[in-house]
Amino acid sequence: MRLKAQIHALAASLLVLLVSAPAGLNAQSAPEPVSVYFRQGESTFDPSYHDNGKRLDSLLLSLPPQDDLMQVILAGSSSPEGSRAGNVRLSDKRNASLAKYLQDIGLGEIPTESRFVDSDWGIPLQLAQQDQDLPSRDWALEVIEAQNLTRLRSNKTVYNYVYEHYFPEMRMTRVSFVVAEPDPEEEQVEIAMDLPIEVEEIEVQKVETPAEPEPEPEPEPQPEPEPEPVAEPEPEPEPEPVKEPEPAPAWIPTVEPAPAVREADSHWYLKTNLATYFVTLTPNLGVEFEFGDHISLSLPFYYSALDWFVSTIKFRVMATQPEARWWFRDGSFLGPFVGLHGTLAWYNIALGGDYRYQDHGSNTPSLGGGLTFGWKFRVTRRLGLELSVGGGLLPLNYDKFYNVENGRFIENGSYNWIGPDHVGVSLTYQFDL
């Protein structure tokens, strides 16, 4: 007989699949590090310089949630013209300024690591290889590849070009972030599926079965052999705990020692005040020495023994005005400075009037002092322009004469001058110590 059966499956959630997913938010991969740049000799981070602000914005927009940020790494580098000790100090201050900027814009109190990386000569070498306007190109490429700063300085044209076009790209800090590793714990997520089940028709036919023969007597069972003793398995040793790897920074700068020749730690300068030449026709020459990263000592000398074309007009002086200076920028001795100066001056002055004035007995120089404020600019790598103005107290003990040839003595007098005692428009030239 034929039996037809059709079974229709009921829709139900019968199967549960276990799918692993992190219990919390997965940590994202660390974003690519970016470089920000600094002006020569300056340590304050300026977001408007060299598109620094745009570079940081693109980095911050790619960051994972702040809870996943474990560390900020600031790797500072500098151009090679300064001393290594000065570059290390400057790099530390640049990194500190950048770290404060990141906190101020809302990054929060994330642990920060500051590093110093030696000057990367690969940067100017790559720029030089792409620059067809580089003077003495073949020679310059050879010298830059050899990292020979002394030889590079021997060609002023090439050095000034490299200093202006390539070295600014070396004054930078590399910003990278360390992020948390993904959480190893997983949560179970149930996924229900509806599976319709159908059973095909089954045809059942009647089958005649022949008569079964009588069973033969079964043989007596043989005794089973005793089982051999089984040795107990040895306990397996417990696995050693596996240490989780510490999170690695997104970028770790590799520092290779480079036999670069560096500039001397300090310098001295030869200088002359052009304002004194043009205003009083007084020749002058001065020297200035650096001490550390902020202090210098200036020592100018002035001497004039000539009349101004006629005997009734003269500005005869022999003077010096030593000055200790404090420079506000680290190690560059450029930009603003303040100074504390003293004045020692012998004088014989007549300006075309009825009287001539001379220090008493020609042996009573004026001895005073005051303060100076100035600003120094770089013209070339060694040539500088310095602007300054000073004022203070200048006691005068003088003899008064009639302003004629061999004019008669009139009287002795004294006066305390309080006011400007210095105006400078000076050219300076740098030498290495």
Side-chain angles (χ1 to χ4, degrees), residues 33-36 56 59 72-74 98 102 173-177:
V34 300
S35 298
V36 295
L56 277 184
L59 174 63
V72 184
I73 297 179
L74 305 178
L98 179 55
L102 292 174
T173 290
R174 189 84 160 165
V175 185
S176 58
F177 287 86

Side-chain angles (χ1 to χ4, degrees), residues 33-56 75-79 90 94-95 97-98 120 123 126-127 165-175:
V34 300
S35 298
V36 295
Y37 298 87
F38 293 82
R39 292 184 176 87
Q40 199 277 337
E42 295 189 11
S43 60
T44 302
F45 175 72
D46 183 359
S48 65
Y49 176 68
H50 214 304
D51 289 334
N52 284 338
K54 294 181 180 179
R55 297 171 190 271
L56 277 184
S77 183
S78 58
S79 50
L90 183 59
R94 287 172 172 173
N95 290 349
S97 175
L98 179 55
D120 183 4
I123 295 175
Q126 182 179 3
L127 294 174
H165 293 87
Y166 302 165
F167 280 4
E169 301 299 320
M170 304 172 72
R171 304 172 188 130
M172 66 175 182
T173 290
R174 189 84 160 165
V175 185

